[in-house]
Amino acid sequence: MTREVSVAETAFKGGGMDNGHGHCMWFLSPFNNSTQTADRLGNVLVPASSLTVGRKGADLGFADKSVSRHHATFIMEAVSIEDATNLEHRPKVVLKDNGSKYGTFVNGISAIDSMELKENDMVRLGSFQTTVQLVWKPCVVCRSSLNSADKKELFHAAVQWGFKVSKEWTPQCTHFYTQEIQWTDKLIKCLASACPVVSSAWLPHIVASFSPDPPSSIDYVPSLSAEFPIHLGVDLSPQPMRSCLFENMHFFVFDKAQASLSAVNPTYH
């Protein structure tokens, strides 16, 4: 049976790093009180670990005399493989005040002991304006044509860093992950959504992908299968213009047997 792929439908549903609909990783971002926005993504919160904020000797330090040396700790729960494949799951993040002198406040309310945080919560440290915001940033990796070892490596990284893995391309997907590029409906949807196509070489750099100066995804493009003529100069880099290039067009993806049948009988499709 052929699979009909509506590129226009895929493109206009979202996808990409900035669509705001994905599910992925928690970041602790310094908040700029002047602009009322997070300055940058800041520190990634790693599953099954903690991050301490304070004035000196902390994982994240602030030059604020009202902030204690080890003021508070953010604790993120562990992530399982089942969690990594559940796009609706968000690992819990708990804030614990470490007996700070001038207190810790969540959305203006004093956090006396421990409390679970939610997306965009504002955490003020001390009596001045030192504030961090809990940010949820999308990173959903769509996997394709992986052998057992490749799958194991991908899921290990997902559990380690907290990003999501999907077998099918969805509007939440931000990356297409494969070891060899083949023409599939998932690849077409990825290109139409202007998302990066990456290989296992990208995994060690996943956190850097969210930095102000992220590494180019072109450096991690997988090898091309034999069905791609090298002389065509295939460019798989994210290009937003592709989102409307095939508007109102439909593609039919065949396997080899179906393609042979189609060549003999043009009315097949």
Side-chain angles (χ1 to χ4, degrees), residues 79-119:
V79 171
S80 67
I81 292 179
E82 290 74 18
D83 295 333
T85 57
N86 180 358
L87 302 190
E88 301 304 321
H89 172 266
R90 295 190 180 192
K92 293 180 180 179
V93 176
V94 174
L95 170 67
K96 181 180 182 297
D97 182 87
N98 296 326
S100 61
K101 184 175 182 180
Y102 294 103
T104 303
F105 304 85
V106 178
N107 302 324
I109 300 174
S110 178
I112 299 176
D113 191 9
S114 298
M115 63 182 301
E116 183 179 340
L117 300 178
K118 61 182 183 297
E119 182 180 7

Side-chain angles (χ1 to χ4, degrees), residues 32-209:
N32 189 318
N33 288 281
S34 298
T35 62
Q36 291 296 298
T37 58
D39 279 341
R40 50 188 169 81
L41 279 180
N43 293 60
V44 61
L45 296 178
V46 180
S49 67
S50 62
L51 184 145
T52 299
V53 294
R55 184 160 45 89
K56 289 184 178 180
D59 299 314
L60 180 58
F62 297 94
D64 181 341
K65 292 183 178 180
S66 71
V67 174
S68 300
R69 288 177 179 268
H70 297 89
H71 195 103
T73 300
F74 293 81
I75 306 167
M76 181 173 167
E77 70 175 354
V79 171
S80 67
I81 292 179
E82 290 74 18
D83 295 333
T85 57
N86 180 358
L87 302 190
E88 301 304 321
H89 172 266
R90 295 190 180 192
K92 293 180 180 179
V93 176
V94 174
L95 170 67
K96 181 180 182 297
D97 182 87
N98 296 326
S100 61
K101 184 175 182 180
Y102 294 103
T104 303
F105 304 85
V106 178
N107 302 324
I109 300 174
S110 178
I112 299 176
D113 191 9
S114 298
M115 63 182 301
E116 183 179 340
L117 300 178
K118 61 182 183 297
E119 182 180 7
N120 295 326
D121 272 349
M122 309 291 297
V123 180
R124 177 167 62 83
L125 310 172
S127 55
F128 297 120
Q129 296 298 317
T130 298
T131 305
V132 292
Q133 184 176 29
L134 188 64
V135 177
W136 184 248
K137 190 68 177 179
C139 180
V140 181
V141 177
C142 176
R143 61 181 177 89
S144 180
S145 304
L146 302 179
N147 59 35
S148 297
D150 295 333
K151 289 179 185 177
K152 183 177 181 180
E153 181 181 26
L154 177 62
F155 280 111
H156 175 77
V159 169
Q160 178 184 6
W161 293 107
F163 64 86
K164 300 295 184 181
V165 178
S166 175
K167 185 177 180 180
E168 303 298 333
W169 186 269
T170 72
Q172 290 89 356
C173 289
T174 59
H175 295 78
F176 182 71
Y177 182 93
T178 185
Q179 296 297 58
E180 184 181 63
I181 298 174
Q182 303 175 20
W183 277 123
T184 63
D185 55 344
K186 290 190 283 189
L187 176 63
I188 294 173
K189 291 176 180 178
C190 171
L191 295 177
S193 300
C195 293
V197 180
V198 296
S199 67
S200 59
W202 168 77
L203 286 180
H205 306 280
I206 181 171
V207 175
S209 299

